[in-house]
Amino acid sequence: MDEEEMPITKISVYTPLIYVTIMIGALVVFSIKYRQKKLKELTSRKPFFDRNIAKEMYFELVNADEKPNEQVLKAALIRRGAECIKRTLKLKEFTPFMNVLYHKGSISDDLWERFQTAQKVEEIEIQELVQETEKYKKGWVSKFLPLLQEVCLNEALAKKYNGLKDKKVDLLHEWGIKVNDDGTYVFPNQTPHKQTATVK
Amino acid sequence: MAANLSYDPVTKHVSALDTSEGYIEEVDALNRLTKDLVSSGLEVPENGEPSKQQTAMIQKLVNSAMDAMKRRAYAEAIKNITVAIDAASRRKRWEAFQVQLQELIGFLQLRTDAYMLSAKYADALVDADLLLLMTALTAENFLRKGIALLNLGRYDEARVVFERGLCFHEGNDKLVQHLAVSKKLIAEENGDAV
């Protein structure tokens, strides 16, 4: 059988180079656009927690024209750390519920991603805190981190205790109970229980 | 100085120019911590050991409150315990939380009882509520809250508290007894009493 001669088409040496360049160019443009989109999504996403006032204050004080006393800066750093511990504890508390809810499809992808971003943010925050602590005193960091938890929990306790007075006023108002000058109560419609029992 | 804060180098006091509630609270916490740091005289706080001097002063106040309770001088007892709580709240923020928590629990238990004995049930209720938040595993705290609610005429809420207490402390005689009282009062209120 006679073999038919295949026609040979000559192409320029630049053709594969142009092809590869176009492919790489398209990939680079896609990658840039994709990253920009992701970054835009990340910055426009509502954060999981409210604004971190303690952190904002620390940076405001550190970058102030008139440098505050070092004790003020250390106090601001402790406040920033305590806020970080508070958020980390909350995230740890939420993790099992968030996992279950996400796997059951009860929460949106958006909330799940916000939650995961918050976890990463707090991890980075702890690393930054460690670096900042070393600026004030070398070796302080090992003692600094446990103190943050004490500060965070003591602040929460003080807040709860300080809210007692308002809570009492709110409850009496809600229930329509008035307090006489001698401290006795005027009840709206009921005769209260006469037993003045105490706990022994 | 930065946009949201103003700083006084003489007093080392930071003031908020941003008047939102969270901001002011944070500035107060910062000033409080700065004050603690300056008064401690430490370069940096390194351990959470409670101040022995303050512990002794607080204990003195608690002892006088206990004496007043024994003498049935409840107003004096309430005053002393409140002063003791104020003194305890001046502890440095980095001092051990467990110590500060146990102290506050002890003070509030004593003050709740003093409030109840002087018929200040609303005050007793809010104290007992906080106690329950801190120690849900104490039957007496459910009793304290429930009895305060009964005396404020909130029978249904009291019943819920006693029932909740019985979930944690099954068969507790006092909780069972007070649950029966609350149910009887609810029935009376509804006109169903026998």
Side-chain angles (χ1 to χ4, degrees):
Chain A
M1 205 171 132
D2 290 339
E3 275 187 18
E4 232 177 90
E5 271 189 25
M6 290 286 285
I8 296 166
T9 319
K10 286 183 180 171
I11 59 164
S12 160
V13 71
Y14 295 112
T15 307
L17 288 175
I18 293 167
Y19 177 78
V20 169
T21 312
I22 289 171
M23 286 301 287
I24 290 174
L27 274 173
V28 168
V29 170
F30 172 78
S31 166
I32 290 170
K33 288 280 173 197
Y34 181 76
R35 276 162 192 256
Q36 276 176 347
K37 194 184 158 212
K38 275 276 169 198
L39 196 67
K40 204 177 165 188
E41 269 177 17
L42 209 64
T43 48
S44 62
R45 191 182 288 155
K46 197 181 161 204
F48 192 75
F49 290 111
D50 287 340
R51 64 192 271 220
N52 191 338
I53 300 175
K55 190 175 174 180
E56 285 173 24
M57 274 171 51
Y58 177 73
F59 282 121
E60 283 193 28
L61 291 166
V62 167
N63 298 320
D65 301 331
E66 184 194 350
K67 206 99 180 156
N69 184 286
E70 191 157 293
Q71 295 293 60
V72 179
L73 295 179
K74 283 176 198 164
L77 182 68
I78 294 173
R79 284 296 316 144
R80 180 183 164 192
E83 182 61 33
C84 173
I85 296 291
K86 183 178 148 192
R87 287 172 184 226
T88 308
L89 289 176
K90 278 200 174 168
L91 287 170
K92 273 188 188 163
E93 193 186 321
F94 295 157
T95 302
F97 309 113
M98 291 295 283
N99 281 334
V100 172
L101 289 171
Y102 182 66
H103 288 115
K104 279 187 176 177
S106 305
I107 54 170
S108 64
D109 284 347
D110 179 57
L111 181 61
W112 177 248
E113 278 167 22
R114 279 165 56 200
F115 175 69
Q116 287 190 315
T117 310
Q119 283 179 316
K120 280 176 198 153
V121 167
E122 292 316 314
E123 277 171 26
I124 296 167
E125 176 69 354
I126 288 188
Q127 288 167 13
E128 281 180 16
L129 276 167
V130 169
Q131 286 168 4
E132 285 292 311
T133 311
E134 287 297 298
K135 284 185 195 167
Y136 294 99
K137 193 184 176 187
K138 286 252 176 284
W140 183 28
V141 69
S142 59
K143 288 168 182 171
F144 175 76
L145 291 176
L147 287 183
L148 295 182
Q149 189 158 331
E150 307 294 345
V151 173
C152 167
L153 295 174
N154 282 326
E155 279 289 348
L157 189 65
K159 216 170 173 179
K160 281 271 173 216
Y161 177 74
N162 292 335
L164 288 186
K165 221 173 226 174
D166 292 341
K167 198 173 170 188
K168 178 191 141 188
V169 174
D170 291 348
L171 275 179
L172 290 178
H173 180 73
E174 191 187 324
W175 294 341
I177 300 172
K178 288 179 182 152
V179 185
N180 289 327
D181 292 340
D182 60 356
T184 54
Y185 299 108
V186 181
F187 296 89
N189 298 316
Q190 304 157 304
T191 314
H193 179 47
K194 292 292 175 205
Q195 178 193 350
T196 53
T198 51
V199 184
K200 299 278 180 199
Chain B
M1 192 76 228
N4 290 324
L5 297 170
S6 78
Y7 171 69
D8 182 348
V10 180
T11 58
K12 299 186 181 75
H13 193 88
V14 175
S15 312
L17 303 175
D18 179 337
T19 52
S20 57
E21 199 185 329
Y23 213 89
I24 292 173
E25 252 179 48
E26 191 56 48
V27 168
D28 288 344
L30 171 67
N31 285 325
R32 161 72 205 258
L33 205 56
T34 307
K35 207 172 136 195
D36 284 351
L37 262 175
V38 173
S39 67
S40 71
L42 298 166
E43 187 192 355
V44 289
E46 292 193 340
N47 66 60
E49 201 184 317
S51 148
K52 283 177 187 161
Q53 199 184 346
Q54 246 170 332
T55 305
M57 189 182 76
I58 292 163
Q59 195 53 51
K60 222 173 180 179
L61 285 162
V62 174
N63 289 344
S64 58
M66 300 266 252
D67 284 346
M69 285 286 274
K70 280 179 198 159
R71 284 185 280 111
R72 295 175 186 240
Y74 303 123
E76 189 189 328
I78 292 167
K79 197 178 148 197
N80 284 334
I81 302 161
T82 308
V83 174
I85 294 175
D86 289 344
S89 74
R90 281 194 290 275
R91 282 190 184 282
K92 311 274 183 283
R93 283 285 189 257
W94 59 82
E95 287 185 23
F97 168 71
Q98 271 310 320
V99 172
Q100 300 203 41
L101 178 72
Q102 290 309 320
E103 256 179 11
L104 188 62
I105 290 171
F107 298 151
L108 287 181
Q109 284 178 341
L110 203 61
R111 195 169 76 171
T112 311
D113 294 346
Y115 276 140
M116 295 253 239
L117 289 162
S118 48
K120 291 183 170 176
Y121 302 112
D123 296 283
L125 174 65
V126 287
D127 274 7
D129 203 30
L130 183 56
L131 273 173
L132 268 183
L133 261 182
M134 299 188 289
T135 52
L137 296 174
T138 313
E140 282 75 15
N141 291 338
F142 287 101
L143 273 175
R144 286 181 174 101
K145 185 174 176 184
I147 293 170
L149 282 164
L150 280 183
N151 284 289
L152 286 166
R154 310 300 301 182
Y155 309 138
D156 214 30
E157 283 99 332
R159 180 184 58 83
V160 173
V161 171
F162 294 131
E163 281 176 346
R164 204 173 143 231
L166 282 167
C167 294
F168 286 96
H169 310 277
E170 213 182 329
N172 181 290
D173 289 345
K174 283 196 172 178
L175 284 171
V176 171
Q177 184 194 330
H178 282 86
L179 177 64
V181 171
S182 64
K183 282 182 176 169
K184 193 179 153 211
L185 287 164
I186 292 168
E188 272 176 23
E189 197 178 37
N190 293 335
D192 298 335
V194 184

